[in-house]
Amino acid sequence: MEADAAASDFFRCGKCDLEFRSPDDPARYISPDHLADLSKSFIKNYPVVSVKDPFDQDDWGAWQKFTASAGIQVVRDGLTVTSPKRTAEAVNEKVCSCLLLKVNQICSMTESLRACKLAQASGWGVMVSHRSGETENTFIADLVVGLCPGQLKTGACC
């Protein structure tokens, strides 16, 4: 099971508001460390093997600590954006362990393949995906066969 936390949606003033759709109340905000502990409890008690975007995209420290200690695949979509340059930065900073490869996000098959090869050479997982709502495009299935990443993320967007 993969969990897509999309934490940037509920990140407020350096903390996390897990009830972000309710009226704002800073008293209920939790720290990124508390969120990491909560996530690790889910990992321990449920068959979670991958988590996507568990922290705000700018909270590099939380990403680094969690990736080092979670024991599962950590996917960071917003940072890498299928860019070889940004993927190299993420590899060097150890802020995640899987590339979400969206070919149409970078606009070049060549750059997508470079990012994929860099991630694979770094021991990362690679998850091929379409952009939200593009469930009719079958090319990504062919790409998965060609790249052998072992992971395909697809599904309708809410």
Side-chain angles (χ1 to χ4, degrees):
M1 167 193 324
E2 181 201 32
D4 184 350
S8 290
D9 290 342
F10 55 80
F11 193 75
R12 308 278 185 270
C13 304
K15 296 201 174 188
C16 307
D17 180 6
L18 299 183
E19 296 181 41
F20 64 97
R21 292 190 174 149
S22 298
D24 193 32
D25 180 5
R28 70 171 176 250
Y29 293 2
I30 62 172
S31 71
D33 285 339
H34 186 177
L35 179 61
D37 291 341
L38 181 62
S39 297
K40 288 176 193 173
S41 75
F42 294 148
I43 293 165
K44 179 180 176 185
N45 294 309
Y46 299 97
V48 178
V49 297
S50 180
V51 64
K52 180 177 166 284
D53 295 333
F55 300 99
D56 182 67
Q57 62 191 12
D58 296 322
D59 192 348
W60 287 60
W63 281 89
Q64 289 168 325
K65 285 195 293 189
F66 186 75
T67 299
S69 64
I72 63 168
Q73 175 175 275
V74 180
V75 185
R76 189 166 181 184
D77 183 15
L79 172 71
T80 57
V81 293
T82 312
S83 161
K85 180 180 176 185
R86 293 177 65 95
T87 299
E89 182 179 10
V91 166
N92 291 334
E93 296 295 327
K94 297 178 173 52
V95 293
C96 53
S97 59
C98 182
L99 171 69
L100 188 65
L101 183 70
K102 296 179 183 176
V103 175
N104 59 356
Q105 192 172 43
I106 194 68
C107 299
S108 162
M109 181 58 79
T110 301
E111 283 188 290
S112 297
L113 294 176
R114 282 188 194 135
C116 178
K117 289 181 184 296
L118 173 60
Q120 289 173 325
S122 300
W124 279 23
V126 175
M127 183 183 298
V128 177
S129 178
H130 58 76
R131 298 206 58 169
S132 297
E134 292 181 5
T135 57
E136 298 298 319
N137 188 344
T138 60
F139 171 73
I140 63 168
D142 298 325
L143 188 61
V144 168
V145 171
L147 295 177
C148 300
Q151 301 177 75
L152 170 62
K153 182 179 188 300
T154 188
C157 178
C158 301

